[in-house]
C-alpha cells in the first residue's frame, strides 16, 4: 500500500468530509500504515482524530481536507 491507495480508501469511506475506516493489517504492515498516515497529515490532506491499533486491524477516524 502507498499514499495514493490509502487516500483512495479514505475517500471511498468518507461521508462528506469525515472518514472512518478499519484496515486489516499484519504486525509488519502497521508501521507502514502509520508512516503513510503521518505523511498525509504533513501534506495537510487529512486531519486525524483517532488512530487505534487493534490485534489484526487499524481504525482511523478523521477529517478529509478538500485539496487537489
Amino acid at each position: 500500500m502507498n499514499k495514493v491507495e490509502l487516500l483512495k480508501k479514505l475517500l471511498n469511506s468518507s461521508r462528506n468530509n469525515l472518514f472512518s475506516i478499519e484496515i486489516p493489517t499484519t504486525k509488519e504492515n502497521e508501521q507502514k500504515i502509520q508512516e503513510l498516515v503521518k505523511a498525509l497529515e504533513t501534506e495537510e490532506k487529512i486531519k486525524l482524530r483517532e488512530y487505534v491499533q487493534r490485534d489484526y486491524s487499524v481504525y482511523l477516524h478523521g477529517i478529509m481536507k478538500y485539496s487537489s
Side-chain angles (χ1 to χ4, degrees):
M1 179 181 295
N2 59 22
K3 284 192 303 188
V4 175
E5 291 174 5
L6 180 60
L7 191 58
K8 285 181 183 179
K9 282 186 178 187
L10 294 176
L11 284 170
N12 288 335
S13 68
S14 68
R15 185 167 211 179
N16 291 335
N17 64 340
L18 296 175
F19 65 87
S20 177
I21 187 170
E22 190 163 352
I23 303 172
T25 62
T26 60
K27 290 292 181 188
E28 302 82 30
N29 225 6
E30 282 179 14
Q31 184 68 24
K32 179 73 172 170
I33 290 175
Q34 191 173 19
E35 291 171 7
L36 293 173
V37 168
K38 285 182 183 179
L40 288 173
E41 278 187 305
T42 56
E43 293 175 5
E44 297 184 354
K45 301 222 182 252
I46 64 170
K47 181 174 182 184
L48 198 61
R49 287 186 171 177
E50 189 175 1
Y51 181 91
V52 179
Q53 288 182 341
R54 298 184 177 150
D55 290 339
Y56 298 104
S57 65
V58 173
Y59 175 75
L60 303 172
H61 174 73
I63 299 171
M64 188 71 63
K65 296 193 176 183
Y66 292 105
S67 60
S68 57

